[in-house]
């Protein structure tokens, strides 16, 4: 609460505090490859993901990428192949972001 006093009249006016600004959730869309692999390991999904990485292009992406992007077509292909829901993929990225 903020109180203002008019010095000429002596009247006080009370102003309530502004309501807190609501938190807007931030979507995690990129994590490092290290974070990705640790999250997959923690969720017992690393072996399943690595079994899907078979083409040279996929191997190069998996071995040499610095970051993993949630909406990358390869990530989306893995998500589909393993039957993950969008919510599960989101939870994996949120977990990875903490590692």
């Amino acid at each position: 609460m903020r109180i203002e006093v008019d010095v000429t009249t002596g009247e006080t006016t009370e102003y309530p505090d502004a309501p807190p600004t609501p938190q807007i959730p931030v979507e995690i869309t990129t994590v490092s490859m290290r974070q990705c692999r640790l999250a997959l390991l923690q969720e017992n999904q690393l072996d399943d993901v690595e079994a899907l990485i078979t083409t040279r292009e996929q191997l190069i992406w998996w071995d040499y990428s610095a970051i993993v992007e949630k909406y990358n077509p390869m990530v989306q292909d893995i998500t589909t192949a393993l039957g993950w829901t969008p919510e599960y993929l989101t939870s994996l990225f949120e977990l990875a972001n903490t590692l």
Side-chain angles (χ1 to χ4, degrees):
M1 169 122 3
R2 186 180 93 226
I3 300 174
E4 290 184 3
V5 178
D6 185 321
V7 292
T8 57
T9 64
E11 291 182 20
T12 60
T13 306
E14 294 181 1
Y15 297 96
D17 292 332
T21 304
Q23 294 289 339
I24 299 171
V26 176
E27 181 183 16
I28 306 301
T29 59
T30 60
V31 293
S32 72
M33 185 57 84
R34 177 191 58 81
Q35 290 172 307
C36 173
R37 287 180 171 151
L38 287 172
L40 291 170
L41 180 64
Q42 190 168 321
E43 289 290 308
N44 297 313
Q45 298 286 339
L46 184 59
D47 290 340
D48 294 337
V49 169
E50 287 182 339
L52 293 174
I53 299 171
T54 57
T55 69
R56 292 186 81 189
E57 181 183 4
Q58 291 169 337
L59 288 167
I60 290 169
W61 172 77
W62 183 251
D63 288 339
Y64 298 103
S65 292
I67 62 167
V68 179
E69 298 165 315
K70 184 177 182 180
Y71 297 106
N72 178 297
M74 287 193 201
V75 172
Q76 295 302 307
D77 289 346
I78 290 168
T79 299
T80 301
L82 293 176
W84 294 346
T85 64
E87 294 79 16
Y88 183 68
L89 181 61
T90 295
S91 72
L92 280 173
F93 270 76
E94 289 171 351
L95 171 62
N97 191 54
T98 68
L99 302 173

